Amino acid sequence: MSDLTDILAMTLDELKERLTELGEKPFRAAQIFEWLHKKRVGSFDEMTNISAALREKLKSEFSFEHIQPVRVLKSQKDGTEKILYALADGNHIETVLMSYEHGDSLCVSSQAGCRMGCRFCASTIAGFKRNLEPQEILGQLYETERVTGRKVSSIVLMGIGEPLDNFDNVVKFLKILSSPEGTNMSLRHVSLSTCGLVDRIYDLAELDLGLTLSISLHSPYNAKRSELMPINNRYKIEELMKACRDYFAKTGRRISFEYALIEGENDSPEDAKALVSILGGMPYHINIIPVNSIKERNYRSDRPAAQRFCALLTELGANATVRRTLGADINAACGQLRREYEGI
Ligand code: SAH
């Protein structure tokens, strides 16, 4: 990978500043930004209203690398498309495009691998390689729209990696994504899912970006949650819930809680009661997902079980739904395709 700053990772203000330092007029930055983020060109030479001399200067000042699609799988059941991308350094990540009534939603990765160690998750088993750069997160949107010809109307940061463990690059990505001179996506159409890095949840609340925060909870009990999710040894459920309440107080945004249902682990009526009790006092929504089996673990569930657990929660007055299962025929659960391809 190049040592130069990638031009796709620069906000418009940063680009203006750099071009001014290079002796160029600031309006050139706006033109270049538009080529990159609205017209989405693949090379400097396609920027036809920029002089050849300035294009050469840009080539020597910035890198402009692209992630490369290496496999595209399309579900025959529901149109879900899953794309395996190669990064410039040979790492791989996955991106999933899902179709909903309200439009197409893109699930992007934030890291190559993950170091959070959740027991049920395929992304973590092969370990952590590195953080993704802002242009590699943005590139998943640009390349996927190009490759599939579909238009993405919302983004979920729920692919490979822990987005709050790559805080600065994720925030930069969000700033560029929502820039009116670029893609101009409202951050109301973005969800960020975290296993619960409490300190970073406070940092995110400070920024008040308007996105939806999703917390991967998976158990209301510290002992069980620590067993399933090692991060719970660092931040206990009580601390996490306090951060969630503060997040709501600061941003006014209702939090979503993810609950991967696992037979015999977190699916009892007591679990349902305890879950409703710890979430009390703030508006929330619980998303129940029947756990996706991975070959290393004996975790199982199914849709009827998820529906039964959901009914228990609803009876207790909770706001809960079962997540639609998409792309079941193409291994759409995060991390599976990357592992198969890299043989890890
Ligand atoms: N690191 C972030 C985002 C990536 S995982 C997080 O932990 O939230 C996205 C979601 O998928 C999380 O809720 C995660 O717990 C869940 N998940 C991971 N593996 C799963 C599996 N095998 N079955 C069901 N959900 C899973």
Side-chain angles (χ1 to χ4, degrees), residues 114 116 118 120-123 157-163 193-196 214-218 229 258-261 289-294 323 333-334 336:
C114 186
M116 297 297 126
C118 297
F120 45 81
C121 181
S123 299
L157 281 147
M158 285 193 187
I160 296 171
E162 167 48 51
S193 179
T194 177
C195 62
S214 287
I215 306 284
S216 300
L217 195 52
H218 308 324
M229 305 176 70
E258 311 287 309
Y259 199 92
L261 198 72
I289 314 142
V291 76
N292 235 299
S293 305
I294 54 171
R323 160 102 44 93
C334 61
Q336 295 186 4

Side-chain angles (χ1 to χ4, degrees), residues 1-2 6 64-68 85-93 130 132 135-136:
M1 279 178 42
S2 167
D6 198 284
F64 186 16
E65 290 177 338
H66 304 285
I67 62 171
Q68 300 290 343
Y85 286 107
L87 308 179
D89 65 355
N91 276 304
H92 292 91
I93 51 164
R130 66 171 175 86
L132 296 192
Q135 73 274 10
E136 293 170 323

Side-chain angles (χ1 to χ4, degrees), residues 88-109:
D89 65 355
N91 276 304
H92 292 91
I93 51 164
E94 293 172 29
T95 307
V96 185
L97 181 60
M98 298 159 290
S99 161
Y100 288 97
E101 256 169 43
H102 54 80
D104 281 354
S105 180
L106 191 70
C107 177
V108 298
S109 295

